[in-house]
Amino acid sequence: MDGMTEKDKALLRECIRIAHEAMEKGNHPFGALLADKDGNILMEQGNAFTEGGSAYHAETLLLLQAARKYSPEELQSCTLYSNFEPCCMCTGALYWTNVGRLVFGATEDALLSYTGSNDENPTFSLSSREVVKHGQKPIEILGPTEDKTLLEEIVRDHIGFWDAR
């Protein structure tokens, strides 16, 4: 069991929407959102490849904005949601901004099966759990989802996307 609540799954579906909107704007299909402890969406962000290249990941951009708007104490009770597992850069941003919980839909390894060796998204073979394990504070991590329907929705925009780049 992945431990996700129905609210977690609903918020992951919002990330899918955000990712799809990013893709429609010419960006990579990744989306993230920040929710408070009650599941209210505080901020959302799609990938912004067209604005800044491969470093403009949805999660990092969102977390940097959140750090300007909320205190570390406020962020500690928040959750970052992402359609795919955050890379080591984005997990580092999660750690440094003090967000206390992460929920993601599909793994970084699963992403590699879609991106291959695409120069626009050279994935790391490094899980968010492994990154957090080397830190000094606890971060709850849930993911990947075990809900097959949700997983199909998450990967839908990635099927064929990277081949056409």
Side-chain angles (χ1 to χ4, degrees), residues 74-90:
E74 290 171 307
L75 290 171
Q76 203 286 319
S77 65
C78 292
T79 300
L80 174 70
Y81 289 86
S82 181
N83 58 331
F84 274 87
E85 181 175 20
C87 71
C88 56
M89 173 182 71
C90 295

Side-chain angles (χ1 to χ4, degrees), residues 42-43 63-71 74-75:
L42 302 175
M43 307 176 89
L63 290 163
L64 293 174
Q65 291 174 51
R68 282 188 224 105
K69 187 170 182 176
Y70 301 102
S71 71
E74 290 171 307
L75 290 171

Side-chain angles (χ1 to χ4, degrees), residues 67-129:
R68 282 188 224 105
K69 187 170 182 176
Y70 301 102
S71 71
E73 293 76 26
E74 290 171 307
L75 290 171
Q76 203 286 319
S77 65
C78 292
T79 300
L80 174 70
Y81 289 86
S82 181
N83 58 331
F84 274 87
E85 181 175 20
C87 71
C88 56
M89 173 182 71
C90 295
T91 302
L94 174 87
Y95 179 85
W96 289 111
T97 56
N98 206 42
V99 172
R101 186 170 181 258
L102 166 64
V103 177
F104 65 87
T107 65
E108 178 86 347
D109 286 341
L111 177 60
L112 181 59
S113 71
Y114 295 102
T115 62
S117 61
N118 190 293
D119 289 342
E120 290 183 9
N121 196 47
T123 60
F124 276 89
S125 182
L126 185 61
S127 74
S128 57
R129 284 182 175 87

